[in-house]
Amino acid sequence: MLARDGEGNCYNVEVQVRRYGAWHKRGLFYLTRTLGNQLSVGEDYEELRASVGLHLLDFDLFTESAAEREQAIWRFEMRDERQPKISLGNV
């Protein structure tokens, strides 16, 4: 489901009870689509609003460690690998 708040921020809301392969790629694809669908040809990139993916899953997405299995809320951002203090912002 796609939603938009009063400030124009976009939300992709997913509710899944079945585990599908490549969930990471699927989630990223839907999130980038919310960004890509915000502007028309010639519009200024300054008009882009935040895109948020809310994924409510009935399974553990990350399972390699106990810490991963126990964490319920995850938040990802685009950051530099070597200098994580540097990010591309919250869009």
Side-chain angles (χ1 to χ4, degrees):
M1 168 178 65
L2 294 175
R4 189 179 296 260
D5 66 19
E7 296 178 8
N9 299 312
C10 297
Y11 300 87
N12 170 252
V13 181
E14 292 271 334
V15 178
Q16 286 292 334
V17 295
R18 186 177 294 150
R19 185 181 194 90
Y20 290 100
W23 183 266
H24 307 83
K25 292 178 180 180
R26 176 184 168 150
L28 187 58
F29 175 78
Y30 284 134
L31 188 60
T32 57
R33 191 162 47 173
T34 65
L35 279 171
N37 288 335
Q38 288 184 41
L39 299 179
S40 297
V41 174
E43 287 187 287
D44 193 325
Y45 290 109
E46 290 292 325
E47 299 301 315
L48 279 176
R49 297 293 174 245
S51 288
V52 177
L54 300 171
H55 298 234
L56 306 172
L57 309 176
D58 191 29
F59 55 87
D60 292 326
L61 187 57
F62 303 106
T63 59
E64 282 193 31
S65 69
E68 288 182 7
R69 289 186 299 276
E70 292 168 4
Q71 184 170 332
I73 298 173
W74 295 81
R75 182 177 185 264
F76 297 96
E77 297 178 340
M78 291 186 67
R79 296 188 172 279
D80 182 71
E81 181 179 357
R82 288 186 281 173
Q83 298 185 56
K85 290 183 179 180
I86 298 175
S87 80
L88 294 179
N90 69 352
V91 172

